[in-house]
Amino acid sequence: MPDSFEHMPPHAIRMPNGALTSLAGNVDPQHRVAVADLILVQRQVRETVTRLVRELDPEIVGLSIMTFQRRTAGRIIELVRALRPGVKIVVGGYDPSLAPEAYEEMGVDYLVRSEGEVTFRELLRAVEQGSGFDRICGLSYRNGECWVHNPDRPPHRLEDSEIRPPNRDARVLKGYTLMGRQVDVIETSRGCTYDCSFCSIIEMRGRNFHTYSFDRVLDDIRDARDHGTRTIFLVDDNITLNVRRFEALCEAIIAAGLHKLDYFVQAMTSAIANHGETLAPLMRRAGFRYVFLGIENILEGDLEFLRASAKNTERTDGQNTGNATLKAIDYLHRNQMYVVGGLIVGSPDDTRESIEANLEFARRYVDWPYIQHPTPYPRTPMTKDFRDQGLIMSERLEEYDGTTAVVRTQHLPAEEVEFMRWKAERWMKIHHIPVVVRHDPRWVLFEGWKMFAHTFRGSSIRSALGLESEKKVFERYRAIRRDEREYA
Ligand code: B12
Ligand code: SF4
C-alpha cells in the first residue's frame, strides 16, 4: 500500500513491508513473483500499477493492508480488475484478517487470515492444480455468491525451515530509505504474550511467542546487507519478551561482524529498565542506534485503560517499584542510543492537563517523539471501550493512521487533542536535527529541508511572524493531510 502517516514522511522514510518479501520467499519455485511496495511511488500509484500489470501480466495479485489503507486498497483492486478482468485477487495482513467481512463486497477472490506464508503457498497450489480450497486453514474464499471461512491456522512455531527466508530479489521497485541510508526489515520472532488494549496482535494470533534460529536471522541480515542495506529495522512484535535471547542475539550479531550496520528496534520499558545493566551495553555494541520505547503514557490511570501497566513496571528484588520509563531511558542514553518515545494521548479520561503532562515528559526525555492517539482498530478491546462510551467521532477509516484523532475524550473534542499533540510535536522533532546532522550530514544538506517542510506544513510567512494563529495553521495542515490521503 502507498499510504503513510505523519511520523513516516515519505521523502525521508520509506520502509519495506516485511510481509511481501516473506510471502515471495515462500511460494513454490516454478512461480514468477514480483513485489511492488507502493510506498516507493506514493505519488504515481495509478501509473505504476498500470505499468506493472501490463508488463508482468499477473494471474494473481495480492495486497497487504492495514485498516487506514482499506480505502486505497479498494481503489487499487478496482484498477487492477479494470486492467485485467480475469485476474484473481487475494488480500492479507491486519485489516483483512480482523475485518474480513469488509472485503466481501470488494471484488476480492481470496482472503488470507493471520500468518500468510503457508496458507498462500497452499492457495497457489490449489489454484494451479485446480483442486478445492476447503482444506486450506486460514483461508476465506468466494464460492459463487457466498464466502466460505475455513478454520483458523494455528500460529507457526518457526522452528523448522518450513517458512523459508524472504526473497528480496522479487522487488521490482527501488528506493527504500531511512534518512538517506538504505533500510530493510528483519524478523527474529513473532508474537507477544501481553494484551495491551489498543494492540491488534492478540486478536490476530493469540498470546504466544515464537522465534527463528539465530543462523536464519544472521543469514537474513547478511542477505539484506548484500542487497545494499545499511540500516536494519527489527520488526518483531516484542523482541524484549525474552531478554536473555535478545542479549544472545546481540552477541551473535557482534560475533558475525554484522554490528557495523545501524539497528532500530521496538522495546518494552520494563525489559530495558530491569535488564539494562547488561542488555544496553550489548545493544550498543551490536549497533543499535534508535530504540522505539512503548512508553504509552506516563500516568497510571491511562496505563490501566491501555492495559499497559505491566509492561511498564520496574522490578527490584522481585518487587514492583513503579514506572520503568525513566530508568529505561537513562540506560539507553548512557549507552549512546536514542529514544523514540511511543506515547498515546487522548484516552477517555484525558484532560488538557493529563495530555500536557505527557507532552512535557516527551519534551524533556525523548529524542524523537512518536506520539499517537488511541485508534479503534477492528476487534481490539479498546475499540469496544470507546464505542460503549460513544466517543468514536469518525468512521472514515483512512483517518485511522494514529496521528489523526478519531476519538474524543470525556473532556476534550478530538480536534483539540490532535491540535495539542501536533503543536508540541513539531518543535520536539527540531531538537533532534543536530544528531542527524552528525550522522548523515550530506543527507541533511540535500534533503533535510524537505523533512523540515513536511514537519511544518501548513505554516506560512504570516504564521512565522506571529500574524496568524496556530489554529489557522493547524486547519491548513489538516486540509493538506486530507489531500495527501488520495493516493490512488
Ligand atoms: C514493524 C511495524 C511497523 C513499522 C514498520 C512498518 C513496515 N513498513 O513494515 C513502523 C514502526 C514503521 C510501523 C508503522 C505503522 N504501523 Co505498524 N506495526 C509493526 C508491527 C510491530 C510488525 C509488523 C510486521 O512487519 N510484522 C512482520 C510481518 C511478516 O508480518 P505481517 O505484517 O503480519 O504479515 C503477515 C500476515 O499478516 C500475512 N499478510 C500480510 N500481508 C499479506 C498479504 C497477502 C496477499 C497475504 C496472502 C498475506 C499477508 O502474511 C504475513 C506473513 O505471515 C505490527 C504489529 C504489532 N505487534 O504492533 C504493527 C502494526 C501492523 N502497525 C500498525 C499501525 C496502525 C501502524 C501505523 C499506521 C501507526 C503506528 N501504530 O505506528 C504506522 C503506518 C506506517 C506507514 N505505512 O506509514 C497496526 C495495524 C493495525 C490495523 N488494524 O491496521 C499494528 C498491527 C500495530 C497495532 N496498533 O496493533 N509499523
Ligand atoms: S507489548 Fe507491544 S506487541 Fe505486546 S500487546 Fe502490548 S503493544 Fe502489542
Side-chain angles (χ1 to χ4, degrees):
M1 283 299 117
D3 316 52
S4 64
F5 87 132
E6 196 185 330
H7 295 321
M8 299 280 131
H11 44 266
I13 307 178
R14 295 184 295 274
M15 198 104 73
N17 173 320
L20 299 178
T21 37
S22 188
L23 293 163
N26 279 281
V27 301
D28 291 325
Q30 70 273 24
H31 298 300
R32 205 156 57 92
V33 56
V35 165
D37 238 315
L38 297 178
I39 196 83
L40 298 170
V41 288
Q42 200 180 57
R43 295 291 149 212
Q44 300 98 35
V45 171
R46 284 188 169 268
E47 301 88 302
T48 309
V49 172
T50 305
R51 175 175 66 77
L52 290 175
V53 169
R54 292 206 170 119
E55 280 174 18
L56 300 167
D57 197 17
E59 285 166 66
I60 299 191
V61 173
L63 294 92
S64 177
I65 311 163
M66 291 195 222
T67 301
F68 81 110
Q69 302 167 327
R70 192 189 293 172
R71 186 183 65 166
T72 309
R75 292 175 179 176
I76 293 178
I77 289 168
E78 276 174 24
L79 173 64
V80 172
R81 276 251 174 272
L83 290 164
R84 206 175 186 290
V87 76
K88 295 286 181 205
I89 294 189
V90 48
V91 292
Y94 275 84
D95 195 49
S97 300
L98 297 175
E101 63 291 344
Y103 289 82
E104 295 186 358
E105 306 298 317
M106 269 169 76
V108 167
D109 300 285
Y110 313 107
L111 186 152
V112 169
R113 307 189 314 270
S114 198
E115 268 175 337
E117 289 86 356
V118 180
T119 312
F120 189 54
R121 187 192 298 158
E122 290 181 6
L123 168 65
L124 295 195
R125 283 180 192 161
V127 171
E128 196 179 17
Q129 292 158 10
S131 53
F133 303 116
D134 52 329
R135 284 166 190 274
I136 305 177
C137 289
L139 181 73
S140 301
Y141 60 100
R142 191 184 287 282
N143 190 358
E145 287 304 297
C146 302
W147 271 81
V148 181
H149 301 283
N150 290 348
D152 291 343
R153 179 178 294 277
H156 201 283
R157 300 189 69 78
L158 311 181
E159 277 163 347
D160 49 32
S161 48
E162 191 186 19
I163 298 192
R164 296 191 293 261
N167 174 3
R168 296 187 172 82
D169 291 328
R171 290 171 175 160
V172 292
L173 302 174
K174 302 232 169 322
Y176 298 113
T177 182
L178 205 147
M179 296 192 267
R181 289 171 186 243
Q182 189 174 320
V183 63
D184 215 320
V185 295
I186 298 280
E187 287 182 276
T188 90
S189 66
R190 284 183 183 173
C192 183
T193 52
Y194 284 81
D195 66 342
C196 306
S197 70
F198 55 89
C199 181
S200 311
I201 190 80
I202 305 307
E203 279 299 321
M204 181 78 166
R205 53 178 290 129
R207 291 170 83 169
N208 51 66
F209 180 66
H210 297 301
T211 56
Y212 282 122
S213 73
F214 285 175
D215 284 346
R216 179 195 150 115
V217 173
L218 296 176
D219 281 347
D220 199 10
I221 298 175
R222 281 189 200 98
D223 183 63
R225 182 200 57 193
D226 296 346
H227 280 83
T229 295
R230 292 163 71 203
T231 300
I232 301 281
F233 193 110
L234 298 183
V235 294
D236 300 37
D237 299 308
N238 190 350
I239 200 170
T240 50
L241 271 182
N242 183 343
V243 172
R244 295 295 163 238
R245 174 181 177 274
F246 187 26
E247 288 182 346
L249 177 66
C250 292
E251 279 163 357
I253 288 173
I254 298 163
L258 294 167
H259 55 291
K260 303 253 162 56
L261 300 166
D262 281 346
Y263 292 86
F264 282 46
V265 70
Q266 320 197 75
M268 292 190 290
T269 60
S270 58
I272 306 284
N274 296 329
H275 303 275
E277 207 59 48
T278 50
L279 177 61
L282 265 175
M283 286 171 69
R284 181 59 208 144
R285 282 179 44 224
F288 284 85
R289 183 170 162 78
Y290 283 89
V291 179
F292 178 106
L293 274 186
I295 303 167
E296 320 307 2
N297 205 282
I298 57 153
L299 303 174
E300 213 38 55
D302 275 323
L303 277 180
E304 266 166 40
F305 172 74
L306 298 167
R307 289 202 211 151
S309 300
K311 69 165 184 164
N312 283 301
T313 301
E314 188 190 338
R315 285 182 194 85
T316 316
D317 301 328
Q319 302 290 317
N320 292 351
T321 48
N323 192 292
T325 303
L326 280 179
K327 195 163 175 194
I329 293 176
D330 187 46
Y331 272 128
L332 295 173
H333 281 167
R334 273 199 273 145
N335 287 281
Q336 292 93 47
M337 286 177 276
Y338 298 104
V339 173
V340 180
L343 286 151
I344 300 178
V345 297
S347 292
D349 288 339
D350 268 345
T351 57
R352 192 174 290 284
E353 291 71 33
S354 65
I355 292 176
E356 194 42 60
N358 277 282
L359 297 175
E360 184 50 29
F361 179 89
R363 272 186 210 104
R364 282 186 64 182
Y365 295 107
V366 310
D367 301 293
W368 186 263
Y370 198 95
I371 307 174
Q372 299 191 58
H373 306 298
T375 306
Y377 294 120
R379 284 173 47 185
T380 64
M382 195 187 72
T383 300
K384 186 171 179 316
D385 287 343
F386 272 103
R387 208 170 284 291
D388 290 349
Q389 296 187 50
L391 296 173
I392 299 180
M393 295 294 111
S394 168
E395 301 285 347
R396 290 183 296 276
L397 298 184
E398 57 278 13
E399 294 178 354
Y400 284 33
D401 58 10
T403 47
T404 309
V406 295
V407 297
R408 57 165 296 143
T409 81
Q410 297 288 3
H411 312 280
L412 290 172
E415 290 80 6
E416 191 58 25
V417 174
E418 186 178 329
F419 175 65
M420 288 179 73
R421 177 202 57 78
W422 166 87
K423 193 168 82 160
E425 216 172 15
R426 291 179 308 165
W427 291 102
M428 291 183 217
K429 289 179 177 171
I430 295 302
H431 291 149
H432 196 57
I433 287 179
V435 174
V436 186
V437 171
R438 278 198 298 280
H439 198 51
D440 295 296
R442 255 183 77 83
W443 182 80
V444 175
L445 190 64
F446 293 108
E447 300 286 327
W449 63 272
K450 288 190 200 159
M451 181 103 173
F452 187 81
H454 175 91
T455 306
F456 283 88
R457 61 206 193 288
S459 303
S460 63
I461 296 186
R462 281 173 57 77
S463 64
L465 294 172
L467 300 172
E468 229 177 19
S469 73
E470 301 235 81
K471 275 268 159 71
K472 191 100 199 132
V473 180
F474 179 60
E475 275 165 29
R476 268 203 304 268
Y477 154 78
R478 299 242 301 179
I480 294 171
R481 188 72 196 112
R482 259 194 306 279
D483 290 347
E484 278 175 358
R485 291 195 190 101
E486 301 298 324
Y487 300 99

